[in-house]
Amino acid sequence: MKILAIGRNYIDHAKELNNPVPKKPVIFSKPETSLLKNNNPFYYPDFTKDLHYEAEIVVKINKLGKNISEKFANRYYNEIGIGIDFTARDLQSELKQKGLPWDLAKGFDNSAPISNFINISDIKDISKLSFSLDINNKTVQEGNTKDMIFSIDKIIAFVSQYFTLKIGDLIFTGTPKGVGPINIGDKLIAKIEGKEMLNFEIK
Ligand code: MG
């Protein structure tokens, strides 16, 4: 399986990192070994001193597809979850400056903690879904899918022009504003519509 992710999909987040608001989706990928499941702890890696959290809604593909039109994109997923796109911001800044790929900054082992998935039929409206991240019981990020620059269906239509989507593939759909550093000892809780989905510790 593969994990695709979109960068700068919320205007407020693009602005907080002084990035332009993109006209086309900014796509990158994370390897399967980046997944961290079952609320297992995350061990702070020693190659960064500025590791940032980015809470994101994650879509799970449930049907094989290529060149999917936006109109039919909703037939290709029926579960969502929430995940963290951990980013070694210091490493990413260095790579960005040199025009190099972000893989080392975003694709390292366990850089993608994810929750269990819930069926979309259990959700009122996926285009107006609220989600949040608490660190040590303080809410640091609050987002709503209505503020996405590129909707889930638009992302699927876009990426499937380039990549065949397969059952089980995951798409990280971008983070709202409020990203920041994590520290050893922090407790992270991510919620969808106020419901706790992900709960793990930084060690
Ligand atoms: Mg991200």
Side-chain angles (χ1 to χ4, degrees):
M1 57 84 65
K2 60 185 164 298
I3 305 162
L4 299 172
I6 176 164
R8 306 170 195 164
N9 199 24
Y10 288 81
I11 291 173
D12 290 344
H13 170 62
K15 284 185 177 161
E16 77 181 341
L17 293 184
N18 295 315
N19 286 314
V21 175
K23 296 205 170 56
K24 263 180 28 175
V26 176
I27 304 296
F28 60 95
S29 65
K30 284 168 159 308
E32 191 172 350
T33 43
S34 67
L35 289 177
L36 179 64
K37 296 178 182 173
N38 304 321
N39 288 332
N40 276 323
F42 174 86
Y43 290 87
Y44 201 110
D46 53 17
F47 50 75
T48 177
K49 292 192 164 47
D50 192 25
L51 189 69
H52 277 205
Y53 56 82
E54 298 186 355
E56 314 196 358
I57 293 293
V58 181
V59 176
K60 190 191 273 185
I61 298 297
N62 71 343
K63 200 162 125 180
L64 184 78
K66 169 86 180 162
N67 289 323
I68 300 161
S69 69
E70 184 184 338
K71 198 172 136 193
F72 297 122
N74 64 5
R75 299 181 181 176
Y76 289 81
Y77 59 95
N78 64 359
E79 285 181 301
I80 59 147
I82 190 164
I84 311 292
D85 169 22
F86 274 135
T87 304
R89 197 70 74 199
D90 44 0
L91 208 52
Q92 189 196 28
S93 301
E94 198 184 311
L95 295 165
K96 270 161 86 176
Q97 262 179 15
K98 294 179 184 163
L100 295 172
W102 299 351
D103 299 48
L104 295 179
K106 279 184 173 282
F108 54 87
D109 283 357
N110 303 326
S111 62
I114 51 162
S115 70
N116 288 327
F117 285 76
I118 48 175
N119 208 290
I120 284 172
S121 58
D122 297 333
I123 296 164
K124 274 176 289 176
D125 185 352
I126 193 166
S127 65
K128 289 180 198 136
L129 198 66
S130 69
F131 61 101
S132 63
L133 176 67
D134 293 357
I135 298 185
N136 305 328
N137 297 317
K138 185 172 168 276
T139 302
V140 293
Q141 282 193 289
E142 277 180 301
N144 192 300
T145 54
K146 72 176 166 48
D147 298 320
M148 286 179 170
I149 299 170
F150 302 101
S151 68
I152 292 169
D153 292 353
K154 278 200 168 74
I155 297 169
I156 288 175
F158 181 80
V159 297
S160 70
Q161 297 174 84
Y162 300 84
F163 306 101
T164 297
L165 296 179
K166 296 176 82 173
I167 295 170
D169 285 352
L170 300 177
I171 301 177
F172 277 65
T173 60
T175 199
K177 73 167 190 284
V179 301
I182 50 154
N183 297 293
I184 290 168
D186 284 349
K187 286 192 169 59
L188 277 65
I189 295 179
K191 299 173 188 170
I192 295 178
E193 297 276 301
K195 182 176 180 278
E196 184 177 309
M197 299 286 296
L198 187 62
N199 180 339
F200 69 102
E201 193 179 347
I202 311 299
K203 287 193 173 175

